Amino acid sequence: MRKSIATVSLSGSLTEKLSAAARAGFDGVEIFENDLLASPLTPEQIRDRAADLGLTIDLYQPFRDFEAVPDDVLAGNLRRAGRKFDLMRRLGTDTLLVCSSVSPHAVDDDTLAAAQLRQLAERAHAYGIRVAYEALAWGRHVNTYAHAWRIVEQADHPALGVCLDSFHILARGSDAKGIEDIPGEKIFYLQLADAPLMAMDVLQWSRHHRCFPGQGGLDVASLVRHAVNAGYRGPLSLEVFNDVFRQADAGHTAADALRSLIALEESAGIADLPSPTVPSGVAFAELATSDPEPVAALLGALGFVRTGRHTTKPVELWEQGEARILLNSGTATRREGTALTAIGLETPGPGAAVRRAEALLAPALPRRRTEHDVPLDAVAAPDGTELFFCATGRPGHPDWTRDFPAERASVPAGITGIDHIALTQPWHQFDEAVLFHRSVLGLLPHETVDVADPYGLLRSRALTSGVSGAGDGLRLVLNLAPTSVNQGNRAQHIAFTTGDITDTARRIRAAGTELLSIPANYHDDLDARFEFSPGELDTYRDLGILYDRDEQGGEFRHFYTATVGRICFEVVQRTGGYRGYGAANATIRLAAQRDQRR
């Protein structure tokens, strides 16, 4: 289906918004009236600019507070509409969005509303224009799509139909299945937006917190499916009011918007994409560093050994158990310090994973390699992290470890693998990152968790492979730090698994490496909250081990190393089926890391 986007969904001037929509690959746009009014271009110039970019202008909006009003108000409204029809003819668009009235002049009279909307449609018809009537969720008398359709049906004019807006329908909890009772030819337009589930005034919710489909909690896919079943064949159009999108780069937002529509078509069952090839775990984590000695010393204290060097690049492979770290000293600058720049994802079919990524507009990354280097495909995540699709040791697939001739074997010393990787996202890309990992990689997003940081609020959301995320598959945690924390220092961490956390902590400390110091008040509180075996809590206090227990009795023990550059390491031990990430301890950890940096 054709894909469109409302200019209100993007930041910048109208010309910047049109250019961003065209570069992303949209077919058309809705022109939001304020964007046109603020533009120095004439309507004819806007029409020509859109045409030069390959965009149609699918809708002009909004026209407010028209129906069910006294005769003197109606006369003014019809005069206003006539001016808009002249404008639309110059602009080259044939559909006007009319919102259900919120005016105090409007009365609760469906017959009057239908008669006046018929007058409007009759005048629009003379201009070759259609009127799409939309029920605002906060409309004075008409606030459901079913009510709007009854009025349109009563008005009975070929130039009058309905506009269905997923936010207005789903935010009120309306049953979208009733859409299938509306003739498809009378559904003039379909506007789409998702939103996180929030308990707040619907008007404020709508104006500040909408997001692209797949980024929130509304079932937009089912609504689209019902509209298509009814016979709707018009564009899928995004109308998203979002404070972050209004400030973010328009080109980046437009690309994310189009990805959301492609994924939505798949979810709604109206388009086929290459099936997700869900990663099963982490093949490697790559750290770029201008000074490898501190991080190499830290890895050594954790029990890692350098097992190989890349045949052509300044990259070292460090291993312990199934945990593999690449140290790349050829790409980082001293100003950036040490940072996590790439993740190798164990993928059953790397080729299929690449095809799906390309279908969902994930930018493929070119690689400089010699003819002897193992070929690996990679795409860029929204935050710039490189994601490599790997099939380590799988017959019939290139094995990236061949680029690292063995120097020595790793000796098991407590760490068995990578439990999860936490990535702090730029402030304007958190929702985009969730959609990217959900749609491109097929990961399951879990509920968003808010954590108090000493200088703000940190949002965190985990994504895992598998249906429940309970197994040993891939676990990623996306964090959105407070702006004061996020500027120029986006801390990340890699969490390793161990079967005996106290033994691992003692060994690391014996190697001369200090662990993150945890305040005594924290362990005093643990003593009040949980019962421990004799001496257990004293051990945790001494080693700086944090502890959590879920309602099912699952336990989580973890500690952190010092931060090197923008990376720190966490060591975790899960028992009893614990699925979380120690969110109850995050505030303590963040404060302790702040104190350590001081």
Side-chain angles (χ1 to χ4, degrees):
M1 299 179 74
R2 295 180 65 257
K3 298 173 181 63
S4 186
I5 187 169
T7 56
V8 73
S9 306
L10 303 171
S11 67
S13 66
L14 180 55
T15 52
E16 290 171 329
K17 295 179 181 194
L18 294 176
S19 296
R23 285 197 307 272
F26 279 95
D27 302 302
V29 294
E30 304 175 24
I31 298 291
F32 195 70
E33 185 167 73
N34 285 355
D35 288 322
L36 181 139
L37 299 180
S39 175
L41 301 181
T42 65
E44 290 82 3
Q45 290 172 321
I46 293 170
R47 178 196 65 206
D48 293 343
R49 178 68 59 88
D52 289 344
L53 292 169
L55 296 170
T56 56
I57 300 177
D58 297 331
L59 185 78
Y60 185 73
Q61 64 126 328
F63 191 75
R64 301 185 186 278
D65 297 333
F66 174 80
E67 78 284 7
V69 293
D71 289 344
D72 59 329
V73 177
L74 176 64
N77 287 347
L78 289 171
R79 176 182 175 277
R80 180 163 55 97
R83 295 294 179 89
K84 298 305 176 186
F85 296 152
D86 287 331
L87 170 65
M88 291 173 63
R89 179 177 283 175
R90 297 171 63 196
L91 197 58
T93 186
D94 66 356
T95 305
L96 175 68
L97 174 67
V98 176
C99 302
S100 63
S101 182
V102 297
S103 169
H105 299 295
V107 297
D108 188 7
D109 186 334
D110 285 4
T111 299
L112 180 61
Q116 293 183 352
L117 283 169
R118 182 179 174 85
Q119 288 186 61
L120 180 67
E122 189 67 33
R123 298 195 180 199
H125 187 62
Y127 284 84
I129 288 172
R130 305 185 309 167
V131 174
Y133 183 53
E134 174 189 61
L136 295 177
W138 52 88
R140 182 173 177 83
H141 301 296
V142 179
N143 50 39
T144 67
Y145 78 92
H147 193 174
W149 164 237
R150 288 198 301 272
I151 292 173
V152 167
E153 190 176 29
Q154 184 176 347
D156 191 23
H157 194 283
L160 179 65
V162 293
C163 172
L164 301 177
D165 183 303
S166 65
F167 179 84
H168 292 303
I169 294 170
L170 300 175
R172 291 188 60 88
S174 299
D175 185 355
K177 188 161 190 329
I179 291 171
E180 297 192 21
D181 296 330
I182 304 174
E185 68 273 12
K186 297 301 284 184
I187 303 175
F188 281 3
Y189 210 75
L190 186 60
Q191 290 181 318
L192 303 171
D194 204 339
L197 302 179
M198 306 174 75
M200 67 184 307
D201 173 74
V202 68
L203 178 58
Q204 296 303 311
W205 189 15
S206 171
R207 288 184 175 174
H208 300 282
H209 299 286
R210 294 196 196 192
C211 55
F212 296 133
Q215 295 178 344
L218 303 180
D219 190 1
V220 183
S222 290
L223 183 143
V224 170
R225 190 159 50 246
H226 292 314
V228 171
N229 289 345
Y232 177 73
R233 296 297 180 266
L236 302 178
S237 188
L238 295 168
E239 187 198 36
V240 175
F241 299 85
N242 184 290
D243 295 343
V244 173
F245 296 169
R246 289 187 181 101
Q247 303 172 66
D249 175 74
H252 209 95
T253 304
D256 184 41
L258 189 63
R259 179 184 298 120
S260 77
L261 282 183
I262 294 171
L264 177 64
E265 286 184 313
E266 179 186 42
S267 299
I270 58 176
D272 292 325
L273 297 180
S275 299
T277 305
V278 182
S280 59
V282 177
F284 64 80
E286 181 172 331
L287 305 179
T289 178
S290 58
D291 182 8
E293 288 190 14
V295 68
L298 185 54
L299 287 171
L302 284 165
F304 284 78
V305 297
R306 190 181 66 208
T307 58
R309 296 174 187 264
H310 197 280
T311 53
T312 62
K313 300 172 185 175
V315 183
E316 301 174 349
L317 171 60
W318 290 71
E319 293 185 87
Q320 185 179 180
E322 294 297 318
R324 306 179 190 92
I325 301 295
L326 300 184
L327 285 190
N328 187 337
S329 57
T331 58
T333 66
R334 189 165 296 278
R335 181 179 63 83
E336 293 171 336
T338 300
L340 176 65
T341 57
I343 303 172
L345 301 174
E346 291 289 5
T347 310
V354 171
R355 289 191 291 274
R356 180 171 179 83
E358 290 174 343
L360 285 159
L361 312 179
L365 295 175
R367 290 190 68 212
R368 291 186 304 168
R369 62 184 183 88
T370 70
E371 60 180 342
H372 302 295
D373 291 346
V374 173
L376 279 182
D377 292 302
V379 297
D383 66 346
T385 301
E386 298 179 359
L387 303 177
F388 288 87
F389 299 112
C390 305
T392 309
R394 286 178 180 268
H397 295 283
D399 188 342
W400 63 274
T401 60
R402 293 206 311 266
D403 283 341
F404 297 86
E407 293 181 346
R408 57 182 292 195
S410 62
V411 178
I415 286 174
T416 57
I418 293 178
D419 182 86
H420 66 274
I421 295 178
L423 302 169
T424 301
Q425 301 298 302
W427 66 272
H428 58 289
Q429 290 177 345
F430 183 79
D431 289 332
E432 178 185 356
V434 172
L435 175 62
F436 175 92
H437 291 90
R438 178 182 193 172
S439 60
V440 174
L441 302 182
L443 299 182
L444 173 72
H446 296 254
E447 292 297 321
T448 299
V449 176
D450 292 332
V451 177
D453 179 271
Y455 294 90
L457 195 67
L458 181 143
R459 292 172 62 198
S460 182
R461 193 168 191 184
L463 296 102
T464 59
S465 57
V467 176
S468 66
D472 296 327
L474 177 65
R475 297 184 183 96
L476 294 179
V477 179
L478 305 179
N479 294 324
L480 177 61
T483 303
S484 60
V485 177
N486 213 8
Q487 294 291 349
N489 184 27
R490 296 188 292 109
Q492 305 154 323
H493 74 260
I494 301 170
F496 301 117
T497 56
T498 183
D500 189 336
I501 198 162
T502 56
D503 179 71
T504 303
R506 288 191 177 107
R507 179 170 41 78
I508 293 170
R509 197 163 68 174
T513 298
E514 288 297 321
L515 303 180
L516 183 65
S517 178
I518 303 300
N521 292 333
Y522 166 78
H523 290 99
D524 290 343
D525 184 63
L526 279 185
D527 194 22
R529 293 165 53 208
F530 303 111
E531 291 186 11
F532 296 95
S533 59
E536 182 180 3
L537 186 57
D538 291 335
T539 299
Y540 298 164
R541 192 192 307 272
D542 176 51
L543 297 173
I545 293 174
L546 300 141
Y547 178 88
D548 189 33
R549 187 184 302 167
D550 62 26
E551 294 181 356
Q552 291 73 40
E555 296 178 295
F556 189 65
R557 299 166 177 85
H558 56 138
F559 64 80
Y560 294 82
T561 69
T563 300
V564 177
R566 289 194 285 138
I567 192 76
C568 75
F569 298 117
E570 179 186 9
V571 178
V572 310
Q573 181 180 3
R574 298 173 182 270
T575 58
Y578 184 96
R579 300 182 183 182
Y581 301 86
N585 299 325
T587 298
I588 309 302
R589 184 258 298 179
L590 291 167
Q593 288 176 325
R594 280 272 184 174
D595 289 342
Q596 187 178 64
R597 284 198 295 271
R598 291 195 188 100

